[in-house]
Amino acid sequence: MTGPHTREVPPPRGRVGTPAADEAFRTRVDNALAAFAAAKRAQLADISPDLVPFVDAAIDFVAGGKRLRPLFCRAGWLIAGGEPDLVGFDDAAASLEWLQGSALAHDDLMDGSDTRRGRPSLHRAFEQTHRADGLRGSAERHGAAAAILLGDLMLSWVDEQFRASDLPHLGDALPWLDRCKTEVAAGQYLDVLAQGRANVDVEQAMLVVRFKSAKYTVERPLHIGAALAGADAELLAQLSAVALPLGEAFQLRDDVLGVFGQPATTGKPAGDDLREGKRTVLIARTAELGNDADRLAIEKLLGTAEGVADLTELIERTGALAAVEADIARLEFQARSALEALPDPASDILDTLVGMVTRRDR
């Protein structure tokens, strides 16, 4: 494998924390993922040529993302005094994309999602391959098995690429990475459990938000990056005060986009969360603000394709959409207020990311 300190790094473009600098870092993350994946491809090709399309599917699956987790990891690293252009750090930050890929592969399978980022989800893509190759047995079971295995493989790559960074404080950061992986699995299970319950209130739905998304999207990447730079406990706690409300705002925005987002932008059909029966905060707010008839409608329509339009109208009519937008604004204000307590230049580093998380359209 290419060593962690041997790749050529593009020169930084623009001040740290600016869109230009963030875009330059995304390119570095892409390069780190490509170098790691090339080594994995060669390793698996030696076992069997049948594994080449398997590993290529993982590489394609993590392409084109927003790179939010690496960006927050970098923010924590810079706030704690890490060198902006240290090549080894790129591997550590990029490894979080494999965690994202693993979580999405499994999440799409559990939800029965057909698409991801405008393309077939992994299990659907492998179903198509099964049919195209004329394989025997169930295409659905083949697709599910392949998605589970590929998700597991990407999860193992998180640790492998993270350790390849070989940074001086790697041992300090590993416990935060371990927590991150444990918490996202816990959040996923709480989400699965919520789908089986007749009623999920706002507090229960927010618990899923915190552990399925907020912690592993914002808080733990910030902690990992800061720990890699030798941050102390006080700074880590200050980062949490910013990260948790910001991460919760991120997922609430995701909930809104899952119902009201434009498919051409989000890469998923409008109303997908409603069709899949997701017990999101948006649905919990609708039940909370609606009347008995509204709550009966939720029970009848949630999780059905034919109920999407009526539920969308119900979410707006009850004021649930406005309430969740108010929640997002409140959480963003809370995060920005906590940001003021961080040492300079934290505000410059995080400011662009705060807006990217709360005011996005995909």
Side-chain angles (χ1 to χ4, degrees), residues 11 24 47 51 56 64-65 106 128 135 151 168 181 184 201 216 241 245 251 304 312 314 322 325 351:
I47 298 173
L51 292 172
D56 284 350
H106 291 159
Q128 293 172 8
L135 300 179
K181 290 182 293 183
V184 72
D201 62 26
Y216 109 103
Q251 184 56 45
T304 68
T312 301
L314 183 61
E325 289 288 358
D351 185 66

Side-chain angles (χ1 to χ4, degrees), residues 146-221:
I148 290 169
L149 291 169
L150 202 54
D152 289 348
L153 183 62
M154 287 189 281
L155 188 60
S156 75
W157 287 353
V158 179
D159 290 291
E160 191 171 347
Q161 186 164 14
F162 190 79
R163 285 178 166 83
S165 66
D166 197 28
L167 296 170
H169 292 283
L170 190 66
D172 296 328
L174 283 170
W176 296 109
L177 179 62
D178 290 339
R179 287 192 192 187
C180 185
K181 290 182 293 183
T182 297
E183 287 164 351
V184 72
Q188 288 276 30
Y189 179 70
L190 289 174
D191 189 31
V192 169
L193 200 58
Q195 309 321 309
R197 288 181 168 150
N199 296 292
V200 174
D201 62 26
V202 173
E203 183 178 357
Q204 291 170 318
M206 283 301 298
L207 185 65
V208 174
V209 164
R210 174 165 287 203
F211 283 92
K212 184 181 176 182
S213 185
K215 282 183 171 287
Y216 109 103
T217 299
V218 182
E219 185 190 30
R220 296 315 184 201

